[in-house]
């Protein structure tokens, strides 16, 4: 199971490689997984994946700047 870490303040610097596969329906439960691909100083490159119970809904990469 993934480690829970405190939420840090920051902002999204860029979104890339965005792929949307499905629309989420009302009452769908979504699961969000975030993986840090690379980190330099206060900038992180992450990959995010959003799933419903049985399907991948969206995936993308983002550059995040932590304050």
């Amino acid at each position: 199971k993934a480690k829970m870490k405190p939420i840090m303040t920051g902002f999204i610097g860029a979104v890339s490689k965005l792929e949307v596969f499905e629309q989420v329906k009302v009452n769908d439960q979504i699961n969000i997984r975030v993986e840090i691909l690379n980190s330099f100083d206060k900038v992180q490159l992450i990959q995010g994946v959003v799933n419903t119970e049985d399907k991948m809904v969206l995936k993308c990469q983002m550059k995040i700047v932590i304050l």
Side-chain angles (χ1 to χ4, degrees), residues 12 14-21 31-38 44-51 56-64:
I12 298 171
V15 176
S16 62
K17 299 183 181 179
L18 174 66
E19 295 181 72
V20 179
F21 304 106
N31 300 303
I32 301 169
R33 188 184 78 223
V34 176
E35 176 185 357
I36 299 172
L37 301 176
N38 203 342
Q44 294 180 337
L45 175 63
I46 62 106
Q47 179 168 299
V49 177
V50 177
N51 292 305
M56 183 182 296
V57 176
L58 176 145
K59 71 178 179 178
C60 71
Q61 289 186 354
M62 290 187 261
K63 288 182 183 167
I64 308 288

Side-chain angles (χ1 to χ4, degrees), residues 5 9-10 14-15 29-30 35 39 41 43 46 50-51 55:
K5 294 184 179 182
T9 303
V15 176
Q29 183 172 344
I30 60 170
E35 176 185 357
S39 186
D41 197 25
V43 179
I46 62 106
V50 177
N51 292 305
K55 294 180 185 170

